Amino acid sequence: MAIDCLVLGAGQEVGKSCVVVTINGKRIMFDCGMHLGYVDHRRYPDFSRISASRDYNNALSCIIITHFHLDHIGALPYFTEICGYNGPIYMTYPTMALAPITLEDYRKVMVDRRGEAEQFTNDHIMECLKKVVPVDLKQTIQVDEDLQIRAYYAGHVLGAAMFYAKVGDAAMVYTGDYNMTPDRHLGAAQIDRMQLDLLITESTYATTIRDSKYAREREFLKAVHNCLASGGKVLIPTFALGRAQELCVLLDDYWERMNLKFPIYVSAGLTVQANMYYKMLISWTSQKVKETYTTRNAFDFKNVQKFDRSMIDAPGPCVLFATPGMISSGFSLEVFKRWAPSKLNLITLPGYCVAGTVGHKLMSGKPTKIDLDKDTQIDVQCQVHQLAFSPHTDSKGIMDLVKFLSPKHVILVHGEKPKMAVLKERIHSELGIPCHDPANNETVSISSTLSIKAEASSMFIQSCSTPNFKFLKRNLIDKIDPDLKDLSYKAVRTSNMLIRECSNPHFKHLNRNLDAKFDSSLSCGPELQVSDDRVNEGILVMENGKKTKALHQDELLLLLGEQEHEVRFAHCRPIYFGSLDEIHVKDSLSRKSLWLSQLSFKLSTELSDRNVQNLGEYLQVESITLSICSKENCPYRTTNRIENESTAMVFCCCSWLVADEILAWKIISILEKHDLGST
């Protein structure tokens, strides 16, 4: 069986996350996002690739949304209400509560302010969310008889979750966006250790390793304080849900400690509404926020107030949080146009910005002009400060998660192509896990676990219980680690040197005893090790209308009315046992027994890892038999010529199954190279 992953979005790019996974016949869409860098058809995933007939209800088992950011949920109302999907949709309770806020805010900006054609209405958003089934953390949801899903805490933003999905014995995890380190308002991602066929992980910061969180906070606070002290204004473009709350907590605490009076504003509406939800959903926040909740709600900011549009040109320094975070549209773009021409002002970009947005252009260098469209150019004279306050995990966090879960395969999404290639190579070389980084509209197929419940016949069980002895000869000293062996030797010799310094005869006697014991341990003879692995091969029989059963191979022959056929290879060659004078045993039976004993000793010495059995009439090594050949005209004999008439020569027949052909020729080579009489 295979798991097929069709990447419809976030393949070698950041934006419109959407991955359709087929796992043992069940088809799941993970996330349904839009690309904020486009305003044409490229903003949405190409849903036609899911079903050519556009029958999405039969094509998909369910949709899973990891969190409320637009690049993970922005296309959902369009897919359900315009494209017609009516199946189940799963997301956490906070995501369900906050999703309509972000979707409606986007709709208003794009339709009411930019005048674009309406992609979906407010009614579409409300109807879409009626199809949602909310889930709690670690709650196992049985989507249908075969498909099982479970959510795990992902950090990142309020309500973000990683999702585990299992069908039969095949299992996988889709991370969405996550953060492996806690911040001021959210905890770190948490997930159980599981056996997974596949992990699909974001890779936004595939090659970045962040420095200390406190160092980043100090740098941010210093930049803001210096700008305000110089009479400038600070614009912090950020998404209303997530980084706004994180940075408001940080600034509010700093203002209290430093007794600052500069106003801190948040754009009215969305951020204020979001803060209300954060107060209600305290159980999803960090441990510190939960612990202090009884005495003080961390989201009741003492120094933060609402901002009105009429205050854009008001004189005096201030800090303003405005949405959206990438300055792609909306109020943050409006404020940026007005504040960018002043050298006193500061634009602080605390997170990742998608290519094509104003934020990305500012992060790519220090432009003096930015072309917004063919008719609008923005004069940029302000200071630009980029800080890594992104809620995404860094390269170390991704590697830690992959190592912890140790899946059989990894697929990278939601990242930049060159950086993903570096991370892909690291995962493969350092962890030994096959890793893939498909582009949009590409499919990756990987093998999945398939277990079959089967009964076992009594004959098969009995064959598994039969002793399967293997013998291994090796010196005791070989079991000692070389470093420890050397250390032991030095320790004893050092002790002996100290003893020699003593004049007492008793010490000298003790010294000789220690030397003798140590030298004896180094030259100890071979130790016989015995292993007994009770395993056996059988045949799995699957018949229509009957239970699957494991049979012994002899049972299958009886079932089919057939006889056992075995193809064996044979070779007969001369072997030498020293001079004729050394052969004192006169009767042929005793001579044959002596020759087999000498042959057994030689092979046991040369093949210490094999079980050489002397069964009287012949020797047995795996499927290989060796016997003294008494036929004058053996069909397997290569020569009858005696090279040395003074040497006792006999012929030895060796036969084997094809599976042991390499071992058989190794044994023949041993017989060719050695005079067995010298043993």
Side-chain angles (χ1 to χ4, degrees):
M1 298 295 287
I3 298 177
D4 295 325
C5 300
L6 170 61
V7 179
L8 294 182
Q12 299 180 2
E13 68 170 5
V14 177
K16 67 175 180 188
S17 289
C18 186
V19 181
V20 178
V21 179
T22 305
I23 173 170
N24 283 353
K26 301 297 177 179
R27 218 168 181 201
I28 309 164
M29 177 189 284
F30 289 98
D31 285 334
C32 188
M34 64 164 58
H35 199 298
L36 298 175
Y38 300 118
V39 293
D40 53 19
H41 68 281
R42 292 174 294 177
R43 80 176 75 186
Y44 291 147
D46 184 0
F47 297 121
S48 65
R49 290 181 174 269
I50 301 172
S51 170
S53 65
R54 301 183 187 276
D55 182 8
Y56 302 120
N57 291 320
N58 288 321
L60 294 174
S61 302
C62 69
I63 295 176
I64 291 174
I65 302 296
T66 58
H67 62 288
F68 55 72
H69 279 162
L70 290 172
D71 59 335
H72 293 260
I73 197 174
L76 187 63
Y78 177 83
F79 185 59
T80 60
E81 307 312 307
I82 308 299
C83 298
Y85 174 77
N86 291 310
I89 303 167
Y90 297 93
M91 60 182 74
T92 65
Y93 285 92
T95 301
M96 184 181 178
L98 295 165
I101 302 174
T102 54
L103 289 168
E104 177 59 15
D105 181 69
Y106 168 80
R107 190 199 66 78
K108 284 181 178 179
V109 169
M110 300 306 289
V111 177
D112 298 348
R113 295 178 198 161
R114 292 184 61 164
E116 290 192 13
E118 196 162 37
Q119 297 295 314
F120 51 80
T121 66
N122 180 262
D123 288 340
H124 287 151
I125 296 171
M126 294 301 106
E127 288 300 314
C128 167
L129 290 167
K130 288 180 181 178
K131 301 177 176 69
V132 171
V133 179
V135 301
D136 209 342
L137 293 176
K138 295 193 176 183
Q139 176 189 2
T140 300
I141 302 292
Q142 203 71 41
V143 177
D144 58 27
E145 186 178 350
D146 303 310
L147 174 58
Q148 185 182 98
I149 66 172
R150 189 159 57 245
Y152 289 93
Y153 191 83
H156 187 63
V157 292
L158 198 68
M162 304 176 179
F163 275 88
Y164 165 83
K166 182 180 180 183
V167 180
D169 294 297
M172 60 159 292
V173 164
Y174 175 84
T175 67
D177 295 343
Y178 63 102
N179 197 350
M180 293 292 284
T181 55
D183 56 31
R184 287 179 173 266
H185 80 297
L186 294 177
Q190 297 178 7
I191 192 167
D192 295 332
R193 195 188 298 272
M194 298 170 284
Q195 293 207 350
L196 300 176
D197 295 291
L198 173 65
L199 170 67
I200 303 178
T201 175
E202 67 129 315
S203 53
T204 314
Y205 289 97
T207 59
T208 301
I209 297 180
R210 297 196 187 98
D211 56 6
S212 162
K213 180 183 72 170
Y214 300 106
R216 281 180 278 132
E217 290 180 348
R218 284 196 301 271
E219 184 183 350
F220 168 73
L221 293 170
K222 181 180 178 181
V224 170
H225 198 161
N226 288 344
C227 176
L228 296 173
S230 301
K233 301 178 187 297
V234 180
L235 171 63
I236 306 176
T238 181
F239 293 106
L241 301 160
R243 286 317 90 187
Q245 284 71 30
E246 170 77 2
L247 296 177
C248 278
V249 170
L250 177 61
L251 287 178
D252 198 49
D253 178 64
Y254 182 72
W255 255 236
E256 286 291 299
R257 287 188 289 110
M258 301 298 290
N259 195 28
L260 299 180
K261 302 301 180 184
F262 302 113
I264 302 173
Y265 297 114
V266 293
S267 52
L270 182 56
T271 305
V272 175
Q273 192 176 5
N275 284 346
M276 178 185 69
Y277 279 101
Y278 268 83
K279 293 175 186 178
M280 292 190 299
L281 298 166
I282 287 292
S283 62
W284 287 76
T285 60
S286 69
Q287 189 62 33
K288 184 176 181 180
V289 171
K290 286 185 281 191
E291 288 172 355
T292 59
Y293 177 68
T294 53
T295 56
R296 178 179 177 269
N297 190 320
F299 303 107
D300 285 331
F301 306 120
K302 296 180 180 179
N303 300 281
V304 180
Q305 51 193 301
K306 298 178 184 178
F307 186 82
D308 189 83
R309 272 187 166 75
S310 62
M311 302 165 66
I312 290 180
D313 295 320
C318 69
V319 177
L320 172 62
F321 288 90
T323 60
M326 300 183 190
I327 322 181
S328 55
S329 59
F331 191 49
S332 64
L333 180 59
E334 183 180 342
V335 176
F336 176 72
K337 291 178 187 177
R338 307 283 275 273
W339 291 6
S342 174
K343 293 181 179 180
L344 291 176
N345 296 337
L346 170 68
I347 308 298
T348 296
L349 298 162
Y352 185 89
C353 292
V354 170
T357 61
V358 173
H360 186 269
K361 292 174 183 177
L362 291 171
M363 291 169 66
S364 301
K366 180 63 175 66
T368 56
K369 303 285 183 183
I370 288 181
D371 293 321
L372 194 59
D373 52 49
K374 62 180 182 178
D375 300 320
T376 309
Q377 187 179 71
I378 304 174
D379 181 26
V380 182
Q381 299 297 322
C382 65
Q383 307 165 58
V384 178
H385 204 156
Q386 179 186 351
L387 290 171
F389 275 102
S390 173
H392 296 269
T393 193
D394 64 0
S395 175
K396 182 182 181 301
I398 298 171
M399 291 294 289
D400 286 346
L401 181 70
V402 174
K403 185 177 181 180
F404 176 77
L405 291 175
S406 295
K408 294 178 182 176
H409 292 265
V410 173
I411 291 180
L412 302 178
V413 294
H414 202 282
E416 298 172 2
K417 182 178 179 179
K419 296 177 182 179
M420 293 172 79
V422 174
L423 180 61
K424 171 185 172 182
E425 177 56 30
R426 279 194 66 196
I427 291 172
H428 181 70
S429 62
E430 294 181 23
L431 302 178
I433 300 174
C435 187
H436 315 268
D437 58 343
N440 282 342
N441 301 319
E442 287 185 359
T443 299
V444 175
S445 295
I446 66 167
S447 59
S448 66
T449 302
L450 179 62
S451 300
I452 299 173
K453 290 183 179 179
E455 294 181 348
S457 69
S458 57
M459 187 174 180
F460 174 74
I461 294 173
Q462 186 177 0
S463 68
C464 293
S465 304
T466 302
N468 182 35
F469 294 120
K470 289 187 179 179
F471 302 92
L472 177 64
K473 294 177 182 177
R474 62 175 179 172
N475 289 335
L476 286 171
I477 196 64
D478 292 336
K479 299 197 305 182
I480 303 175
D481 183 273
D483 294 334
L484 294 177
K485 188 193 306 182
D486 184 57
L487 183 62
S488 300
Y489 181 83
K490 289 178 179 176
V492 172
R493 293 305 183 201
T494 303
S495 299
N496 291 348
M497 288 175 65
L498 292 172
I499 292 172
R500 286 189 185 102
E501 296 298 321
C502 302
S503 58
N504 190 320
H506 172 72
F507 289 156
K508 291 182 180 179
H509 175 71
L510 178 60
N511 172 60
R512 286 194 297 274
N513 287 343
L514 284 171
D515 276 339
K517 287 181 179 179
F518 187 78
D519 292 339
S520 173
S521 71
L522 289 175
S523 60
C524 57
E527 177 199 36
L528 183 64
Q529 288 191 330
V530 183
S531 66
D532 182 14
D533 297 324
R534 304 294 177 93
V535 295
N536 204 357
E537 294 181 357
I539 292 91
L540 195 66
V541 178
M542 304 173 73
E543 295 182 89
N544 287 335
K546 295 184 179 180
K547 291 183 177 180
T548 302
K549 198 166 189 177
L551 302 178
H552 188 274
Q553 59 183 11
D554 293 345
E555 290 181 288
L556 183 65
L557 293 173
L558 290 172
L559 186 67
L560 299 176
E562 299 287 341
Q563 292 183 345
E564 182 178 3
H565 296 275
E566 189 176 80
V567 177
R568 294 188 71 86
F569 298 87
H571 180 72
C572 184
R573 63 158 288 103
I575 54 177
Y576 300 92
F577 286 93
S579 67
L580 288 170
D581 295 338
E582 296 176 8
I583 307 301
H584 305 295
V585 183
K586 297 301 181 183
D587 78 272
S588 59
L589 188 62
S590 297
R591 282 199 302 272
K592 184 177 180 180
S593 176
L594 175 63
W595 288 332
L596 282 177
S597 296
Q598 289 181 317
L599 186 58
S600 174
F601 181 82
K602 175 63 72 175
L603 293 179
S604 296
T605 303
E606 296 286 340
L607 304 172
S608 60
D609 60 333
R610 301 286 180 170
N611 181 16
V612 180
Q613 299 181 69
N614 188 342
L615 301 177
E617 292 294 318
Y618 61 90
L619 303 184
Q620 185 81 39
V621 186
E622 308 296 339
S623 72
I624 304 163
T625 61
L626 297 97
S627 59
I628 303 301
C629 182
S630 57
K631 298 178 183 177
E632 292 187 5
N633 297 308
C634 179
Y636 310 117
R637 193 168 298 170
T638 56
T639 180
N640 288 308
R641 184 170 60 87
I642 300 175
E643 295 180 358
N644 186 352
E645 294 185 357
S646 66
T647 303
M649 182 199 75
V650 296
F651 289 95
C652 179
C653 260
C654 179
S655 70
W656 64 89
L657 294 176
V658 66
D660 290 319
E661 184 172 6
I662 295 175
L663 177 60
W665 285 107
K666 184 177 180 180
I667 290 173
I668 291 170
S669 175
I670 292 170
L671 300 182
E672 287 177 347
K673 291 178 180 178
H674 297 284
D675 178 359
L676 299 181
S678 65
T679 61

